[in-house]
Amino acid sequence: MTDLTKLTLTEAREALLTKKCSAVELTQSFIDRMEKHRDLNVYITEAPEIALAQAKDADKRIASNQTRPMEGLPLGIKDLFCTKNIRTTAGSKILSNFVPKYESTVSQNLLDAGAVFLGKTNMDEFAMGSANLTSAFGPVISPWKRKNNPNKQMVPGGSSGGSAAAVAARLALAAT
C-alpha cells in the first residue's frame, strides 16, 4: 500500500484484517509523519516505543484471529485522560512530570478494544479554552490554511485542538 496515513479508520481496519498492511507498518507510518510535523505542536508527549509494542501485539492477535474492534488502529489520546506509565499533563506545567500508575476509563476501554496509543495530544490547560492557545506547552497550529492568506496560522479550536489537528494533519488515524 502507498501512504497508509491517508486511510480512513474503516479502510485501515479492513487493510489490517485482509493483511494488506500490518499494524506495525500502519503505526510506523504515523510515527514517521509525526516526526515531520512537530511544528504543528500537536503532541505534548509522543510514545513511539509504546505504540510499536502495542502494534506488534495487535499483529499477533490478528494472525491468531483474536481481533478486537479497534485492533492495531493508531490513535492520539487527549492529554486530559490518564494513561498508565505515559506522562499526563492536562496541558499544565503543574503536572509536567505526572506519570499515572493507573489507566482512565476512556483509555482502558480503547486498550481493551485493541487501540494503539501514538501519544498524548496537546490541549488547552485543564481543558479550559476554546482555541488551544492556553496550553503550557504552546499553542497547536492548525494544518489547514486559508486560501486567500495561506501564510496566516489558524487555530484548530479547543480544548481538544491537538486531537483535531492530529486527525486533520494525518498524525493519528483518530483521536480522543
Side-chain angles (χ1 to χ4, degrees):
M1 298 192 85
T2 55
D3 187 351
L4 298 175
T5 67
K6 290 184 177 179
L7 297 174
T8 65
L9 191 68
T10 301
E11 291 167 342
R13 179 166 164 68
E14 184 64 23
L16 290 171
L17 295 177
T18 59
K19 302 193 176 41
K20 290 181 181 171
C21 71
S22 70
V24 169
E25 291 168 329
L26 182 63
T27 300
Q28 188 63 58
S29 68
F30 282 99
I31 291 169
D32 292 345
R33 191 160 171 83
M34 288 164 57
E35 291 172 357
K36 292 177 186 166
H37 294 283
R38 287 191 176 124
D39 59 312
L40 298 176
N41 202 31
V42 166
Y43 287 93
I44 291 174
T45 303
E46 295 178 7
E49 298 87 8
I50 291 169
L52 289 170
Q54 291 170 334
K56 286 177 189 171
D57 289 343
D59 283 334
K60 289 177 188 173
R61 290 183 73 90
I62 292 167
S64 64
N65 288 326
Q66 296 177 359
T67 307
R68 300 168 289 180
M70 296 193 71
E71 201 69 62
L73 300 175
L75 308 181
I77 304 299
K78 185 175 180 176
D79 201 34
L80 184 67
F81 299 110
C82 288
T83 45
K84 186 176 182 179
N85 299 323
I86 303 174
R87 181 173 75 146
T88 300
T89 70
S92 177
K93 287 286 186 194
I94 294 170
L95 297 174
S96 64
N97 295 316
F98 177 56
V99 179
K101 299 295 179 202
Y102 52 89
E103 203 69 54
S104 71
T105 300
V106 169
S107 56
Q108 186 63 60
N109 287 341
L110 290 167
L111 289 171
D112 290 346
V116 170
F117 291 178
L118 292 166
K120 305 300 288 290
T121 58
N122 203 345
M123 57 177 282
D124 279 311
E125 187 171 20
F126 296 117
M128 299 192 55
S130 60
N132 221 125
L133 299 173
T134 66
S135 172
F137 299 91
V140 175
I141 307 301
S142 174
W144 292 356
K145 303 294 178 196
R146 293 177 192 233
K147 289 182 182 177
N148 63 348
N149 190 356
N151 294 325
K152 183 170 180 155
Q153 292 182 342
M154 297 173 61
V155 297
S159 70
S160 301
S163 295
V167 174
R170 300 187 338 261
L171 307 181
L173 197 53
T176 56

